[in-house]
């Protein structure tokens, strides 16, 4: 986005945040965005009600003509913005988001892929002040466009895609919606996973618990609020009291892998919502695996395949296991393999 000086005399100052008409030129990174979203991003500190009011009143013009909130702006469009009364932002507010770069797996002018650590939210909200995207924007003030293509749970580590152009964002999100991406997760579960259980086809229902937190549960296929969910499971390694799995998801439901594996009788190690809390506590104390303390969820987005949004080339990314996960596996591998009394799987297989 470029800012052009106003060609008409500036209007009288109406507030500390703006003293003149502004003319914004839409760049390639913002092409295809709705006018309301474009303005909300450009007019930092402007309330939504104000943005929609100036659009409805006709004070916002696109190429000198009136436009609706749902108008799609294109590269080169000139957007006229009237003088606005915007509250001064507290400099300390921006400083509260620490700039941070994350381990890079891929980057070009269209997108970047990072290896997100466990325990870091992808964005602020729901009690979290900031996440990966806010920290990246802070670290890259020159970046005109940075948006999440998809999401990972806060406690899930691994591959996360960020678009650097709106065209890349929409193309990649279309691939995710059409299930044209290959997403494989490494998950360490409690107990011996039955080798014959390779497909979990169990509907899931999302709801809020008594505390207002988002939860998911398995429901019958004919449940009115259930959504069909499919996970493919492959045993990678049998370990004492545990199994390392590769899980490829065919649908992208909230907490899908966590609930599918728990519903099958083998919760993910360290899962604080659906896991075995006694086992998790013993692992965190270092008593479950002598000499090894493990304090987060063992779910890692290790592989992602997609078509490049510009070239169409198939891109396959791999993220190595975090060091603490690799250490836990190493300690478990050195122990003798013992029979397990884990409950039998309860999932349905088509």
């Amino acid at each position: 986005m470029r800012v052009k000086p106003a060609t008409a005399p500036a209007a009288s100052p109406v507030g500390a945040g703006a003293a003149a008409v502004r003319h914004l030129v839409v760049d390639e990174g913002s092409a295809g965005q709705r006018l309301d979203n474009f303005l909300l991003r450009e007019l930092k500190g402007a309330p939504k009600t104000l943005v929609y009011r100036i659009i409805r009143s006709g004070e916002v013009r696109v190429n000198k003509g009136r436009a609706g909130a749902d108008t799609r702006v294109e590269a080169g469009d000139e957007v006229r913005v009237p003088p606005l009364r915007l509250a001064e932002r507290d400099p300390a507010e921006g400083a509260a988001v620490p700039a941070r770069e994350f381990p890079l797996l891929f980057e070009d002018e269209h997108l970047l892929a990072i290896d997100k650590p466990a325990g870091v939210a992808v964005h602020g909200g729901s009690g979290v002040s900031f996440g990966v995207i806010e920290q990246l924007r802070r670290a890259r003030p020159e970046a005109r466009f940075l948006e999440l293509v998809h999401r990972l749970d806060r406690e899930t580590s691994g591959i996360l895609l960020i678009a650097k152009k709106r065209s890349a964002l929409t193309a990649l999100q279309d691939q995710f919606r059409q299930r044209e991406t290959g997403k494989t997760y490494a998950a360490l579960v409690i107990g011996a996973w039955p080798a014959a259980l390779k497909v979990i086809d169990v509907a899931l229902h999302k709801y809020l618990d008594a505390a207002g937190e988002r939860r998911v549960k398995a429901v019958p296929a004919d449940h009115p609020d259930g959504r069909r969910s499919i996970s493919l499971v492959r045993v990678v390694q049998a370990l004492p009291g545990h199994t390392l799995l590769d899980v490829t998801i065919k649908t992208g439901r909230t907490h899908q892998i966590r609930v599918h594996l728990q519903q099958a009788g083998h919760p993910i190690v360290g899962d604080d919502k659906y896991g075995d809390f006694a086992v998790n506590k013993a692992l965190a104390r270092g008593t479950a695996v002598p000499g090894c303390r493990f304090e987060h969820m063992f779910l890692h987005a290790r592989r992602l395949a997609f078509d490049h949004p510009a070239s169409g080339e198939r891109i396959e990314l791999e993220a190595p296991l975090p060091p603490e996960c690799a250490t836990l596996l190493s300690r478990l591998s050195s122990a003798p393999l013992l029979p397990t009394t884990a409950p039998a799987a309860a999932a349905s297989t088509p």
Side-chain angles (χ1 to χ4, degrees), residues 102 121-124 130-138 146-148 160 162-163:
F102 297 87
V122 296
H123 59 76
F130 56 84
V132 168
I133 194 65
E134 290 86 4
Q135 290 185 285
L136 274 175
R137 288 170 182 161
R138 183 78 175 171
L146 287 175
E147 293 288 350
L148 292 165
L160 181 68
I162 292 100

Side-chain angles (χ1 to χ4, degrees), residues 43-335:
L43 304 177
K44 305 297 185 185
K48 284 186 177 182
T49 52
L50 175 60
V51 170
Y52 285 108
R53 180 179 64 75
I54 61 174
I55 293 174
R56 285 196 304 268
S57 68
E59 294 175 89
V60 174
R61 298 292 179 116
V62 177
N63 299 328
K64 300 183 179 180
R66 292 181 68 125
D70 59 353
T71 297
R72 299 282 176 176
V73 296
E74 300 298 336
D77 283 353
E78 183 176 295
V79 180
R80 176 197 181 275
V81 181
L84 298 177
R85 185 185 301 277
L86 302 181
E88 289 287 358
R89 300 187 70 184
D90 183 352
E93 183 181 331
V97 179
R100 182 177 179 182
E101 290 281 359
F102 297 87
L104 272 176
L105 301 171
F106 178 89
E107 182 171 15
D108 63 11
E109 66 271 27
H110 301 279
L111 64 110
L112 63 96
I114 66 165
D115 189 355
K116 185 188 86 67
V120 180
V122 296
H123 59 76
S126 300
V128 179
S129 300
F130 56 84
V132 168
I133 194 65
E134 290 86 4
Q135 290 185 285
L136 274 175
R137 288 170 182 161
R138 183 78 175 171
R140 300 180 176 212
E142 76 287 352
R144 295 179 176 179
F145 186 92
L146 287 175
E147 293 288 350
L148 292 165
V149 173
H150 61 116
R151 288 166 173 75
L152 292 176
D153 289 345
R154 182 176 182 176
E155 294 305 321
T156 301
S157 57
I159 304 170
L160 181 68
L161 291 186
I162 292 100
K164 297 168 70 174
K165 294 184 178 182
R166 179 152 297 278
S167 57
L169 178 67
T170 55
L172 289 167
Q173 287 182 335
D174 282 345
Q175 290 185 53
F176 275 83
R177 278 192 292 269
Q178 298 300 323
R179 313 299 174 201
E180 295 171 352
T181 57
K183 293 186 287 186
T184 300
Y185 294 73
L188 183 67
V189 299
I190 299 170
W193 186 271
L197 180 53
K198 298 180 180 180
V199 180
I200 301 178
D201 185 352
V202 175
L204 299 176
H205 168 48
K206 184 166 59 175
Y207 67 99
L208 296 179
D209 65 12
E213 288 194 19
R214 181 178 59 178
R215 296 285 175 142
V216 177
K217 63 181 178 181
V219 294
D222 59 355
H223 190 284
D225 297 315
R227 301 184 69 186
R228 188 181 185 189
S229 308
I230 302 173
S231 301
L232 309 182
V233 183
R234 181 177 71 87
V235 173
V236 175
Q237 187 178 8
L239 298 157
H242 302 80
T243 309
L244 179 64
L245 305 174
D246 260 356
V247 184
T248 300
I249 56 175
K250 292 300 181 182
T251 53
R253 312 301 183 207
T254 300
H255 298 171
Q256 175 175 321
I257 295 175
R258 300 165 68 174
V259 177
H260 270 175
L261 301 186
Q262 181 266 347
Q263 189 266 351
H266 300 275
I268 296 175
V269 163
D271 190 338
D272 64 353
K273 280 188 170 67
Y274 310 101
D276 185 315
F277 305 120
V279 171
N280 292 348
K281 190 172 182 180
L283 280 166
R285 286 198 309 258
T287 56
V289 180
C292 181
R293 296 180 62 180
F294 190 80
E295 301 177 287
H296 66 76
M297 183 168 65
F298 198 127
L299 182 61
H300 178 69
R302 72 167 194 84
R303 177 183 176 274
L304 180 64
F306 57 93
D307 295 335
H308 191 279
S311 69
E313 176 188 2
R314 191 67 173 175
I315 304 292
E316 295 195 8
L317 301 177
E318 296 271 353
L321 283 175
E324 60 273 21
C325 292
T327 297
L328 177 59
L329 290 181
S330 176
R331 295 297 177 90
L332 286 171
S333 298
S334 64

